[in-house]
Amino acid sequence: MNVQKRNDVSIYNLSSGPTIPEWLGDRARRNLSKRDEAVRRRIELIQDFQMPSSSSKVVQSADGRYIMVAGTYHPRVRCYDVHELSMKFERYVDAEIMDICMLGEDYGKMALLMDNRTVAFHAHYGAHESIRVPKFGRGMAYESTTCELLVAASGSDVYRLNLEEGRFSEPWTAESTDVAASCISVAQAQPLAAVGFDDGIVRFWDNRSPDSLLKPFLKLDVQSATTGY
């Protein structure tokens, strides 16, 4: 990147700088960037990294190579290859995408949460299968140790879809029926899930607990703790 100043206006030239041959391997690229500051400071742009209308969700694969983007009107999902700096494929879907959950290291297995109470599963070849959830979903997370897809929905339940057995497990339930889940996240090292609810409380579940213990083991009142800030 080259920065120039003209009449007190900064002009950023993103395309300037040395280019690296495509046949050069990853190890050679890293060694070259260590020796050459100009190569290290260069900026590479992904071609067509945009949506015709707007985007609602951006997720990167675990291997760091692919970026999945959900677009609106018409509903679609696009996959971008970071190594090739281009769009790999585009797929149209039947409803707006609320969330994207990667089930593997790359784009070969992923789940799309739709706004019509549907979870659509996609493989490398395209759409594979879809399933309906009891209530409208707001967020998803994948718990790899139990092969469960966790869906936070517009209610007090967190639905657990066991992908190995192909059925729903008993849902996690908040202690109050007047709350609704808004977001969910799963720890990378432990089978622990944190679910945010619209009452300002984050509830934690341990997926190693038996089905008889479906209540949260810890609650964090974020709304009260941040009052006045």
Side-chain angles (χ1 to χ4, degrees):
M1 182 179 65
N2 185 21
V3 182
Q4 300 178 358
K5 270 202 169 186
R6 296 179 181 176
N7 298 327
D8 296 330
V9 177
S10 298
I11 301 175
Y12 298 88
N13 189 353
L14 302 180
S15 60
S16 67
T19 58
I20 298 179
E22 295 183 358
W23 50 264
L24 204 63
D26 293 338
R27 185 175 181 180
R29 289 170 181 261
R30 291 194 298 267
N31 293 334
L32 183 60
S33 63
K34 292 179 181 178
R35 297 193 303 266
D36 194 333
E37 184 180 359
V39 175
R40 187 168 59 251
R41 292 172 57 87
R42 80 189 189 284
I43 295 178
E44 295 180 308
L45 302 179
I46 300 177
Q47 301 297 320
D48 299 323
F49 195 54
Q50 60 182 357
M51 282 290 175
S53 178
S54 63
S55 59
S56 58
K57 191 72 178 181
V58 179
V59 177
Q60 190 170 14
S61 60
D63 59 5
R65 177 168 181 174
Y66 302 100
I67 299 177
M68 306 302 301
V69 183
T72 61
Y73 193 74
H74 299 289
R76 73 193 75 191
V77 59
R78 287 180 174 179
C79 176
Y80 295 91
D81 192 333
V82 176
H83 290 185
E84 300 295 334
L85 298 176
S86 61
M87 183 172 65
K88 189 172 185 65
F89 63 81
E90 179 183 39
R91 297 173 187 170
Y92 287 86
V93 293
D94 298 330
E96 299 288 346
I97 300 175
M98 303 295 295
D99 199 2
I100 303 175
C101 187
M102 310 299 289
L103 305 178
E105 292 294 321
D106 55 12
Y107 70 92
K109 296 179 182 179
M110 63 177 176
L112 307 178
L113 180 63
M114 312 291 195
D115 66 351
N116 60 353
R117 295 198 296 117
T118 301
V119 178
F121 296 93
H122 283 239
H124 59 87
Y125 51 81
H128 176 71
E129 190 58 77
S130 62
I131 191 172
R132 303 261 301 178
V133 292
K135 293 185 179 180
F136 291 97
R138 294 182 174 178
M140 289 189 307
Y142 179 59
E143 212 290 283
S144 59
T145 60
T146 57
C147 295
E148 284 189 345
L149 183 64
L150 308 176
V151 181
S154 57
S156 59
D157 293 334
V158 178
Y159 300 105
R160 302 156 58 200
L161 177 59
N162 193 304
L163 301 181
E164 185 176 19
E165 300 177 359
R167 65 179 181 88
F168 280 101
S169 303
E170 195 72 19
W172 293 335
T173 305
E175 69 282 354
S176 175
T177 58
D178 298 331
V179 298
S182 57
C183 58
I184 184 171
S185 180
V186 173
Q188 298 295 326
Q190 301 293 336
L192 304 176
V195 185
F197 286 79
D198 56 6
D199 60 349
I201 297 179
V202 180
R203 294 168 173 83
F204 297 85
W205 276 271
D206 190 342
N207 217 15
R208 295 168 295 188
S209 302
D211 288 344
S212 58
L213 301 176
L214 299 174
K215 299 294 183 181
F217 71 91
L218 179 64
K219 294 188 296 182
L220 178 62
D221 193 342
V222 179
Q223 184 176 10
S224 299
T226 57
T227 300
Y229 291 93

